[in-house]
Amino acid sequence: MSRQEAGDKKLRPARTNATKQKLFEASMELIGERGAAGVTVDEIAAAAGVSKGTVYYNFGSKSDLIAQLLRHGVDILLARLLSVKDSSADPLAAMDEMIGQAMDFMAEYPSFARLWVSENWRTPSEWQDTFAELRGRLLEVIGAAIEGVAGRYDVDESISRGSLETAIFGACFVVGLDRQTYNPERTREQSVAAIMAIMRGYVRK
């Protein structure tokens, strides 16, 4: 296997075989419920209906499995965010749709969102480098969308662009997860509008 093929295998686990997909789904559910530290390889294997040896054969260790699970989820989220790129002549409308895609992702994968929120800021973390890389990829896409808004509208340049990216990024996870966990009656549109209020405050009237 070439280095490129190995990289593709690591970054796009959705393309792997059915056994690996079952492992991802089982891991996402168990880790989302109890946190990474509270789940064993035996439990993951049992939930996926495979042997413990299969987990080690495919991923090497629980730590590697979780790292690849994080990459898998972020790949799905990024694909959805980028699917609305250039879909609207109005960059604010495009960002509204992008945030809507993030809300849909949180609704479909709440266990992944729980994993991200619970483990991302844990220190020390054995996945710190993985989180930093994946966070950077997500912030780059959000930053490009903000840049599009700034290129079309008069914006408040006193607001730190980096802080604005982080505010949108964090709000997508927290608002989306809060809706799934505590406020299921809250609509997708209400959640998107709350996050978009951050962006609309950045645009001068």
Side-chain angles (χ1 to χ4, degrees), residues 139-156:
L139 287 176
E140 184 178 356
V141 172
I142 295 170
I146 292 173
E147 187 67 31
V149 172
R152 179 69 61 85
Y153 293 91
D154 179 23
V155 299
D156 186 350

Side-chain angles (χ1 to χ4, degrees), residues 117 121 139 142 164-176 195:
V117 171
W121 290 277
L139 287 176
I142 295 170
L164 185 59
E165 291 174 8
T166 303
I168 297 293
F169 170 77
C172 285
F173 272 92
V174 175
V175 171
I195 299 172

Side-chain angles (χ1 to χ4, degrees), residues 16-168:
T16 61
N17 60 36
T19 297
K20 289 186 179 181
Q21 186 61 32
K22 286 194 296 184
L23 286 167
F24 277 120
E25 292 172 358
S27 301
M28 191 180 298
E29 188 62 30
L30 289 170
I31 294 169
E33 291 174 356
R34 305 208 304 270
V39 178
T40 67
V41 172
D42 284 342
E43 290 173 318
I44 292 170
V50 301
S51 69
K52 182 177 179 179
T54 299
V55 178
Y56 286 117
Y57 175 79
N58 284 294
F59 300 102
S61 67
K62 187 178 84 170
S63 180
D64 289 341
L65 171 63
I66 293 170
Q68 291 198 42
L69 172 62
L70 290 167
R71 292 179 183 279
H72 176 64
V74 168
D75 282 346
I76 295 171
L77 177 55
L78 280 172
R80 295 190 181 189
L81 297 182
L82 292 171
S83 72
V84 301
K85 190 174 183 181
D86 300 325
S87 66
S88 171
D90 181 355
L92 266 179
M95 176 155 257
D96 187 287
E97 178 57 26
M98 181 180 287
I99 293 172
Q101 289 289 337
M103 292 301 98
D104 291 343
F105 173 86
M106 302 304 165
E108 189 170 348
Y109 299 101
S111 293
F112 178 85
R114 290 188 192 97
L115 169 62
W116 184 278
V117 171
S118 66
E119 297 294 333
N120 197 7
W121 290 277
R122 189 188 301 276
T123 54
S125 170
E126 59 188 298
W127 304 288
Q128 184 172 353
D129 291 344
T130 300
F131 276 120
E133 175 198 340
L134 298 178
R135 177 180 180 276
R137 291 172 62 196
L138 289 166
L139 287 176
E140 184 178 356
V141 172
I142 295 170
I146 292 173
E147 187 67 31
V149 172
R152 179 69 61 85
Y153 293 91
D154 179 23
V155 299
D156 186 350
E157 295 292 353
S158 69
I159 296 176
S160 163
R161 192 72 62 83
S163 294
L164 185 59
E165 291 174 8
T166 303
I168 297 293

